[in-house]
Amino acid sequence: MSVTALAIRGNSQPRLDIIKLNHAASSEVSELLLSAMTCIENDEAIALDFVKKASRLLRPHYVISDAGVTRDPMIAIGGLAPWQINRLKTYIAERISSQISLHELARLVKLSTSYFSSAFKASIGLSPHNYIVAQRVEFAKHLMLNTEAPLCEIALDCGLADQAHLSRVFRRLTGTTPSAWRRFCKTASRHHYDT
């Protein structure tokens, strides 16, 4: 586990914030920042999203100051246990091409629907619906990069109603259309291999 200490100067005495990152989190931060650097020239909005996600991972959980050790008020309490998060992520990934209800997710981790929804958002940072939509878009990206399937087929494989639905949610999350994103990635990979 790595520890990064940041000295923050206050009025007269410095305050020390300690951020503890495990290996997986630091790898994810590195990956997010590398992705941001890669796409900054072509799409600033996507690059900014990557930086925001990395920033969320870097938030300190505890603050050590002259008053002692206190929990950071920005970190939510009452989230899901790690086993619940893993079970949910696996379940969603396995059923990405079908409808997934809030009720079935809550039942999977043995919580009421209302408590589950707030605990999920506290743990993941997104509502269950927005998380599922983001996973569908990530799966669509994977299919667009690794297959020649038409977008209408990819939309159905991702659990979306049709190609128009895919285009709406894809554009809302990435700032570009699926076809433009696919063209850009293919052009970038061809350019990468040509040099």
Side-chain angles (χ1 to χ4, degrees):
M1 192 172 296
S2 64
V3 177
T4 304
L6 302 170
I8 299 174
R9 289 190 166 79
N11 293 338
S12 61
Q13 295 181 339
R15 191 180 101 194
L16 191 61
D17 291 345
I18 305 291
I19 302 171
K20 293 186 177 183
L21 292 177
N22 62 27
H23 179 69
S26 70
S27 295
E28 190 172 350
V29 168
S30 298
E31 202 172 296
L32 287 167
L33 294 175
L34 182 60
S35 297
M37 289 173 25
T38 304
C39 68
I40 188 76
E41 290 181 20
N42 298 315
D43 195 335
E44 289 180 16
I46 293 174
L48 185 59
D49 285 341
F50 285 131
V51 172
K52 285 180 183 177
K53 288 177 185 175
S55 175
R56 270 187 246 126
L57 288 173
L58 290 173
R59 280 194 195 138
H61 292 245
Y62 293 94
V63 176
I64 299 174
S65 65
D66 293 336
V69 178
T70 57
R71 185 169 179 79
D72 185 345
M74 295 300 291
I75 303 299
I77 298 173
L80 300 169
W83 72 267
Q84 291 172 315
I85 293 170
N86 291 336
R87 182 178 284 180
L88 288 164
K89 286 182 175 182
T90 301
Y91 185 86
I92 292 168
E94 290 172 351
R95 289 164 184 78
I96 200 71
S97 62
S98 58
Q99 294 299 317
I100 303 169
S101 74
L102 188 62
H103 178 71
E104 69 186 285
L105 293 175
R107 192 178 60 221
L108 182 69
V109 293
K110 301 172 183 12
L111 296 173
S112 70
T113 305
S114 60
Y115 180 78
F116 166 74
S117 188
S118 62
F120 188 95
K121 186 164 185 170
S123 297
I124 305 294
L126 296 169
S127 70
H129 172 75
N130 288 342
Y131 177 80
I132 292 169
V133 169
Q135 294 310 299
R136 292 186 196 284
V137 168
E138 288 304 312
F139 187 56
K141 287 178 179 180
H142 171 76
L143 292 175
M144 285 189 284
L145 286 177
N146 298 302
T147 70
E148 294 298 321
L151 293 177
C152 58
E153 187 178 309
I154 289 173
L156 297 175
D157 288 343
C158 294
L160 300 169
D162 53 24
Q163 184 175 343
H165 189 199
L166 171 64
S167 293
R168 276 193 312 275
V169 298
F170 195 95
R171 184 173 203 141
R172 189 177 74 226
L173 291 178
T174 66
T176 188
T177 63
S179 55
W181 186 88
R182 190 182 227 178
R183 274 193 309 274
F184 172 76
C185 289
K186 288 188 180 204
T187 303
S189 68
R190 266 189 258 129
H191 176 69
H192 178 69
Y193 289 117
D194 289 345
T195 56

